[in-house]
Amino acid sequence: MLIALILVAAIALSVEAEYGVKNLKPRNIVKPVNPRYTAEEWRDILAAQVAIPEKKSGFVKATKPQPDFAGKVFINDKTDRITNGNSASRGQFPWQAALVIDSSSFCGGSLISYQYVLTAAHCAGSSYQVTLGSTLANYPETGALTYTTRSSVVHSYYDPSRIDNDIALLLLPEGVSFSNYISPVRLPPYSLGDLAGETVVASGWGKTSDWAGGISSTLQYVDLRIINNNECAYTYGDVITASKICVSTIGGYSTCNGDSGGPLVHQEYDGRYTLVGIVSFGSTGGCQQEHPVVFTRVSTYLNWIEYNTGIYIN
């Protein structure tokens, strides 16, 4: 049976006021995939799932580390959409960025330093309005910061047909003033494993169900479980490579349209959160059909991040 892929894509929107939005419509990229292969082809597909960090030619190790508090949450006040998720309290995900692209599309992103936001390549455009420190999509709360930038770096080998190298950086026009509500997420070490079986957290303003008319007005989050890439490949075929990371959506718990570019984080033993994935794509079957959701594996691109930001990564 032919199974199609759909990017968990940016959602088209119109700017109603300075921060207001209306007329939300999904902007989707679809790729058909036939997961029927010969035994020999399956062997090659599954053998390609060993995660190996990308090596950039001419790479010189960066020298400026992230702040010591990267990945720390300063306000622990959880409230009980992302599909079937929970509403986030302010400060629960201080690295979360809301991106309005070309005044027409919406994506998520992750603050990783004083001036850089990490997002998906399929969220790229010409201009970006970046809001930090708010759980509200329409009207940012007091103390939130909003920047406008035209400076971005999209991975030079981004391939929308295979959804490979779905990663991009935004450079803010000035350094961010950190607070309890605005703080960078920790980048993973080069030694990070595949984390299969681990619980992770996705956050964003995406649709809260397959039937929702547009993005959520409030930031949502959901706990998910990382699955082995081989398991994911049985659903999506050879587009699943070691540079991607997949999660189970059993029970209909999932990311959805509008969560694109947003963070997938893993809480470490020290209580801080490490960015392990960037929301990339899901199934055309819908957000609640229990098909795996696929993220860009951040640890694959640490060379690329260091090279383009100057951030030192262990």
Side-chain angles (χ1 to χ4, degrees), residues 24 76 81 89 131 192 220 239 252:
L24 302 176
N76 292 304
R81 222 170 167 140
S89 58
T131 300
L192 186 72
Q220 304 287 311
V239 298

Side-chain angles (χ1 to χ4, degrees), residues 217-267:
S217 60
T218 59
L219 183 64
Q220 304 287 311
Y221 73 96
V222 65
D223 293 338
L224 300 166
R225 182 181 62 85
I226 293 176
I227 60 174
N228 187 286
N229 270 27
N230 288 356
E231 182 179 347
C232 195
Y234 281 119
T235 298
Y236 294 122
D238 65 357
V239 298
I240 301 302
T241 63
S243 64
K244 300 179 174 76
I245 189 169
C246 302
V247 300
S248 170
T249 64
I250 296 300
Y253 295 92
S254 178
T255 56
C256 201
N257 295 28
D259 290 319
S260 282
L264 183 73
V265 297
H266 180 249
Q267 189 171 26

Side-chain angles (χ1 to χ4, degrees), residues 98-168:
L99 313 180
V100 176
I101 304 102
D102 297 333
S103 300
S104 63
S105 302
F106 186 90
C107 273
S110 301
L111 184 68
I112 60 171
S113 75
Y114 290 96
Q115 277 193 277
Y116 283 98
V117 171
L118 196 62
T119 188
H122 76 266
C123 291
S126 298
S127 65
Y128 308 86
Q129 179 179 283
V130 182
T131 300
L132 302 166
S134 180
T135 60
L136 303 180
N138 288 0
Y139 300 97
E141 294 137 299
T142 301
L145 299 175
T146 299
Y147 301 89
T148 299
T149 182
R150 291 181 175 273
S151 182
S152 62
V153 179
V154 176
H155 197 288
S156 56
Y157 292 109
Y158 169 54
D159 181 353
S161 65
R162 289 185 50 82
I163 322 175
D164 283 337
N165 305 307
D166 191 10
I167 188 170

